[in-house]
Amino acid sequence: MECLCAEVLTFGTFDRPLLYRVPLELVNVLRDGMLIRVSVGKLQTFAIVLRIYSADVEKLQFQIKEIISIEYGIPLIGRDLIDLIFWMRKYYFAPHRALLEAVIPATIRKNVSPKLISKISLLKTLDDGECKALKSGSPKQWEIYEFLLNSGEIFTKAELRKFSQSALSALVEKGVVGERFEKEDRFVCCDFSDGTRPGNTAKITLSWEQCAAVDAIGRSLAGGKFKVHLLHGVTGSGKTEVYLDAIRRAVGIGGDVIYLVPELALTPQTVNRIRHGLNLSDSEVVVWHSGLSEGERRNTWLAMANGDAKVVIGARSAVFAPLKNVKIITVDEEHETTYKQCEVPRYHARDAAVYRAKLCDAVCILGSATPSVESLFNSASGKYELNVLTKRIDGSSLPRMEIVDMRYERNSRGKKIISQRLMNLMEERLNAGEQTILFLNRRGYASVIFCNNCDYVATCPNCSTALTYHKPQNLLRCHTCGYIEQLPSKCQKCGGGDILQGGVGTQRLADIVRAMFPKARVERLDSDTTATKDSFCKVLHGFGNGKIDILIGTQMISKGLDFPNVSLVGIVNIDNAMNFSDFRANERVFQSIIQVAGRAGRGSKPGVVIIQTHCPNCELLRLAIENDHENFLKNELTSRSEFFYPPFSHILRVIFSGKNEEKVGIFSKLFADDLRKRAQNLFDIRGPSPAAIRKTNGRFRFSLACFSRNVIIPLEKISETMNLASKARDVAISVDVDPIDMM
């Protein structure tokens, strides 16, 4: 006997689709992409409907259960997101449950009730006698009645807090005042508090390079076929205006848009520019990121799912926005490592965006002043179309960059943190009323605390990393696991009291600058100072309004910020990044220099960038100063080709961890030996060896890396070798495809 069945993917432990019978009452209601409730064993769980079809249940070799209920009256995801989940399952070796939880947020699965707002209005006009009686008998009620009568408006209960609430309730009971409850539309409404210049509705004249890029993207959009454009534009070249034109065209033909930004903090200025540049409402341009409240997340998600939202702006998880008719996906600052998720599912939002655009026959725009080596390689091979913007739109020139040799910068106490050249330029800017940005990609006060007697270094007991000193709290903190302890007065090894601080973080740099320039207004911008909601915007608001003279920050100040009064940028210490043991170290240094330098000279005042280094003759620095992407790419590809690094291969990193270091090492060796037998030279296997960060959260780590021209074959072999895991239950195994962090 045939009946209607649904193939579903559950949020339970089954990592494969399951089949359920559709009850009669849901036959005409159930659709693909709906969130439903089903039972698995004795437990109930949520599931997503993949497809619905008729099946002869009597011929099945197993009994099927009925769907219990539907959670929402609309499909929460479309076919493109369903297909994206299955692709990510196969490509990133991630379980279906982790992918479903990444795509459909917990607040939707919990079906959080919408917040209701009480609306108060006058229902009945009293006659003279009633007015006199109310005024003499209940003066507090009369006060409310008179106010509502004279205003003639509807108020929320919160707006009437100054009146007696018991008197208000009495008027409601009498039927004089009406109270009704409405759902609150909780969307993130950004103002210009970030201090940046928002877009506006005025017509902007595009440069000929912008016009060429706009026309190319417009042709792809009109063609209705999948296409990737790499928009390579120098800082200040007007990439955002190109994005806005593409969004305007997509919305104009009834399409939806996803706009990804690398940092949560960059969303306010982007939202402002799009809402005001395209004259769209709060519900049409929504924000999606981890910083939203549960109510904001619920309302925003449903606005996307039911078609109210047209443009979604957010960090990497916004790639899963449940829009119905995606026409444009923009990935701004596509080179940023924050697009890669470090936890399961370990996806890269840029690559997921490209694949989703393919599923939707949409246009994907990857934009950056410093594109990743992989994207530049894809454009050179014809996989992506390259659109270049070589000039700043306001006619200003790129900042002049200078190298300061720190080997000759010393004072009576040893090495100096800020060179004399940078100090002099900072003083000039202060006197001229101009602003300075200092870049140091290390937060905290001191990067290491050590004993001058025995060379003992304070390290985290859970991780093989040095503890960082944070002066305001007088604490040592581990930036890997979050461990905290008080700064010791004596060495824990020898008992000596000669405890020294090594290295410089943003906290210490800020203290040094304040001591140099006591009258200057100095602020920091790093993850320590932006932990609270809106703190990032508050700092930028002060900087944009000229209330801050010198802004000191980490990587988050290196991108997307436009302040015309910034005429000086100081890169305090670039050497640590240059000496990092990662094949992408050169690429990151090159990108960081160009990005942070691009914050200077964006207005009418020429910009100067000072790069402090102990390696002034480094070829990499010369290429960055000359903005020479062509030769940088040539050198980088030559080096990577020799060692079979990306983009010539994919890396699949297998990480083993456990509390017993010896067991983890032995098991990783057994795993690698078995994998080599299965690989049969189809791909290259390197390792295993102790991870660069040997221990995190109390667990020892070993890793091996597979280098292959494709991902599927090594993943199949790794999956087969996973059967060995039963021999070492206390060793955890994880797989990271296309890892960004090799530590």
Side-chain angles (χ1 to χ4, degrees):
M1 180 183 71
E2 283 201 351
C3 70
L4 202 62
C5 296
E7 189 177 58
V8 308
L9 208 54
T10 73
F11 286 80
T13 55
F14 278 89
D15 196 29
R16 57 182 175 81
L18 300 176
L19 195 65
Y20 286 83
R21 187 197 301 265
V22 180
L24 288 175
E25 64 269 21
L26 298 182
V27 166
N28 296 320
V29 180
L30 194 69
R31 285 184 281 167
D32 293 356
M34 279 187 165
L35 183 68
I36 60 173
R37 191 182 292 271
V38 297
S39 62
V40 179
K42 296 181 180 180
L43 301 176
Q44 287 190 13
T45 185
F46 292 113
I48 283 290
V49 178
L50 302 178
R51 64 189 183 107
I52 303 168
Y53 61 95
S54 295
D56 190 341
V57 294
E58 293 180 352
K59 292 183 179 180
L60 296 176
Q61 296 179 350
F62 53 88
Q63 289 187 334
I64 61 173
K65 299 180 180 181
E66 277 195 350
I67 293 171
I68 297 172
S69 62
I70 294 174
E71 291 301 302
Y72 293 88
I74 58 171
L76 293 189
I77 60 175
R79 175 53 52 187
D80 59 322
L81 277 176
I82 291 173
D83 291 344
L84 182 65
I85 287 171
F86 278 90
W87 173 77
M88 292 176 71
R89 168 73 178 91
K90 189 175 182 181
Y91 189 91
Y92 289 111
F93 205 66
H96 284 127
R97 177 176 180 173
L99 290 166
L100 284 173
E101 289 176 351
V103 172
I104 301 174
T107 186
I108 295 297
R109 301 196 302 275
K110 290 189 294 186
N111 203 352
V112 175
S113 299
K115 184 178 179 181
L116 299 177
I117 302 177
S118 171
K119 293 290 185 73
I120 303 295
S121 61
L122 193 64
L123 288 183
K124 178 183 176 183
T125 303
L126 303 179
D127 58 32
D128 292 343
E130 290 172 324
C131 287
K132 186 176 180 180
L134 185 65
K135 189 173 183 180
S136 60
S138 304
K140 290 185 177 180
Q141 293 181 31
W142 168 257
E143 187 181 8
I144 298 171
Y145 172 78
E146 187 179 34
F147 174 78
L148 294 175
L149 181 66
N150 293 333
S151 66
E153 296 180 11
I154 299 174
F155 296 91
T156 65
K157 205 168 188 177
E159 292 172 329
L160 299 176
R161 282 194 302 265
K162 64 179 181 179
F163 299 104
S164 167
Q165 295 302 297
S166 59
L168 180 60
S169 298
L171 287 173
V172 172
E173 288 180 10
K174 292 177 180 178
V176 176
V177 170
E179 181 179 17
R180 70 176 188 272
F181 294 91
E182 296 180 357
K183 292 181 182 178
E184 181 186 17
D185 288 332
R186 284 179 282 180
F187 299 104
V188 174
C189 301
C190 305
D191 55 23
F192 304 145
S193 60
D194 57 359
T196 57
R197 296 174 294 177
N200 52 58
T201 55
K203 183 69 176 177
I204 296 175
T205 302
L206 301 180
S207 69
W208 71 267
E209 287 182 327
Q210 287 176 305
C211 288
V214 161
D215 290 344
I217 295 169
R219 286 193 296 271
S220 297
L221 186 61
K225 297 294 183 182
F226 165 64
K227 183 83 172 183
V228 181
H229 287 262
L230 177 61
L231 185 61
H232 182 185
V234 300
T235 54
S237 59
K239 293 184 290 295
T240 303
E241 298 305 327
V242 176
Y243 301 152
L244 285 172
D245 183 90
I247 294 170
R248 188 179 293 110
R249 294 187 188 209
V251 173
I253 60 174
D256 300 327
V257 176
I258 298 173
Y259 190 123
L260 300 184
V261 293
E263 293 279 0
L264 171 70
L266 293 179
T267 52
Q269 64 183 48
T270 307
V271 173
N272 285 332
R273 296 189 72 172
I274 292 178
R275 279 183 181 158
H276 293 267
L278 276 64
N279 196 26
L280 295 173
S281 68
D282 291 346
S283 63
E284 289 176 307
V285 181
V286 298
V287 179
W288 184 258
H289 53 63
S290 59
L292 304 183
S293 68
E294 279 204 338
E296 289 169 341
R297 290 174 75 79
R298 180 189 186 279
N299 285 10
T300 301
W301 179 271
L302 293 179
M304 294 187 285
N306 65 27
D308 289 342
K310 305 303 296 178
V311 181
V312 178
I313 303 165
R316 61 175 175 260
S317 61
V319 74
F320 304 125
L323 299 172
K324 303 299 184 186
N325 188 26
V326 175
K327 291 297 181 184
I328 291 281
I329 303 180
T330 293
V331 185
D332 194 21
E333 309 290 1
E334 65 86 27
H335 66 282
E336 281 293 333
T337 58
T338 49
Y339 283 124
K340 173 72 172 180
Q341 175 146 307
C342 298
E343 303 83 24
V344 177
R346 295 181 173 88
Y347 68 94
H348 198 301
R350 177 197 61 208
D351 299 336
V354 170
Y355 196 81
R356 186 173 182 189
K358 181 178 181 180
L359 293 172
C360 298
D361 277 329
V363 176
C364 186
I365 307 171
L366 309 179
S368 177
T370 54
S372 63
V373 168
E374 287 85 351
S375 292
L376 287 170
F377 183 77
N378 283 334
S379 68
S381 62
K383 194 173 180 179
Y384 299 165
E385 181 175 331
L386 179 63
N387 307 112
V388 181
L389 307 177
T390 62
K391 302 183 186 307
R392 287 185 162 181
I393 53 173
D394 57 5
S396 62
S397 58
L398 292 171
R400 185 181 81 252
M401 291 201 242
E402 299 179 15
I403 287 180
V404 173
D405 189 347
M406 295 300 288
R407 294 175 299 178
Y408 303 105
E409 292 285 337
R410 294 179 179 273
N411 58 21
S412 59
R413 299 184 65 184
K415 295 180 180 179
K416 290 175 64 175
I417 306 304
I418 295 180
S419 65
Q420 190 64 46
R421 173 62 173 159
L422 180 54
M423 192 188 312
N424 292 342
L425 290 173
M426 290 170 69
E427 187 170 14
E428 289 178 10
R429 269 42 185 195
L430 286 170
N431 293 335
E434 298 172 11
Q435 293 171 301
T436 297
I437 288 178
L438 297 182
F439 172 72
L440 177 62
N441 204 26
R442 176 174 286 167
R443 60 193 174 105
Y445 189 83
S447 57
V448 64
I449 299 296
F450 63 95
C451 175
N452 198 34
N453 296 324
C454 67
D455 293 332
Y456 168 78
V457 176
T459 57
C460 175
N462 305 315
C463 309
S464 56
T465 54
L467 294 171
T468 300
Y469 177 47
H470 290 252
K471 187 177 180 181
Q473 303 85 17
N474 203 38
L475 294 174
L476 299 180
R477 185 187 299 273
C478 175
H479 290 167
T480 301
C481 73
Y483 170 82
I484 296 174
E485 69 177 45
Q486 287 290 327
L487 177 70
S489 58
K490 294 182 179 181
C491 175
Q492 297 178 13
K493 183 178 180 182
C494 71
D498 196 3
I499 304 295
L500 301 179
Q501 301 165 4
V504 179
T506 49
Q507 285 182 10
R508 187 177 178 189
L509 179 60
D511 286 352
I512 291 170
V513 171
R514 290 188 182 105
M516 286 180 172
F517 306 106
K519 295 182 180 180
R521 297 164 296 179
V522 181
E523 287 290 345
R524 279 169 40 223
L525 198 62
D526 55 37
S527 56
D528 292 325
T529 62
T530 57
T532 59
K533 194 172 183 180
D534 299 328
S535 53
F536 182 92
C537 289
K538 289 177 182 177
V539 174
L540 291 190
H541 177 61
F543 196 56
N545 288 341
K547 295 179 180 178
I548 299 171
D549 301 311
I550 301 170
L551 183 63
I552 298 168
T554 54
Q555 196 70 31
M556 62 173 60
I557 67 169
S558 68
K559 47 189 170 285
L561 306 180
D562 184 1
F563 298 102
N565 198 38
V566 175
S567 58
L568 175 64
V569 166
I571 301 176
V572 176
N573 183 2
I574 200 66
D575 295 346
N576 287 338
M578 289 169 60
N579 298 322
F580 204 65
S581 58
D582 190 308
F583 74 91
R584 288 192 175 93
N586 283 351
E587 179 182 7
R588 288 172 183 162
V589 169
F590 184 82
Q591 291 168 342
S592 292
I593 291 174
I594 292 176
Q595 288 285 347
V596 75
R599 303 313 110 204
R602 295 175 76 97
S604 59
K605 299 162 186 174
V608 177
V609 179
I610 299 298
I611 304 171
Q612 298 187 162
T613 178
H614 290 82
C615 308
N617 299 317
C618 175
E619 171 74 0
L620 178 63
L621 294 183
R622 184 188 67 80
L623 293 174
I625 287 172
E626 295 175 359
N627 209 28
D628 190 349
H629 288 265
E630 184 177 347
N631 281 307
F632 166 75
L633 181 62
K634 181 180 177 181
N635 292 350
E636 196 68 8
L637 290 179
T638 299
S639 173
R640 295 194 187 187
S641 175
E642 182 179 354
F643 296 100
F644 197 44
Y645 283 130
F648 301 99
S649 70
H650 291 276
I651 299 178
L652 295 85
R653 189 177 184 224
V654 185
I655 304 104
F656 310 89
S657 67
K659 293 185 177 181
N660 186 305
E661 185 173 16
E662 184 179 3
K663 282 185 178 180
V664 177
I666 292 171
F667 178 75
S668 65
K669 177 70 165 54
L670 291 173
F671 189 100
D673 290 344
D674 186 82
L675 184 60
R676 283 190 171 92
K677 292 176 184 177
R678 297 176 189 275
Q680 298 180 346
N681 297 320
L682 292 173
F683 52 92
D684 185 20
I685 302 172
R686 304 176 194 177
S689 61
I693 299 179
R694 187 175 62 92
K695 184 183 178 185
T696 61
N697 291 301
R699 299 179 69 86
F700 295 94
R701 304 165 71 243
F702 283 72
S703 70
L704 67 82
C706 302
F707 292 74
S708 175
R709 295 193 185 279
N710 67 69
V711 167
I712 303 305
I713 292 176
L715 279 181
E716 288 175 351
K717 303 304 178 184
I718 289 171
S719 182
E720 294 170 5
T721 309
M722 283 289 191
N723 294 327
L724 280 173
S726 60
K727 298 180 181 179
R729 295 179 182 177
D730 51 354
V731 177
I733 308 171
S734 60
V735 180
D736 191 359
V737 179
D738 298 332
I740 292 295
D741 181 6
M742 298 295 289
M743 300 301 287

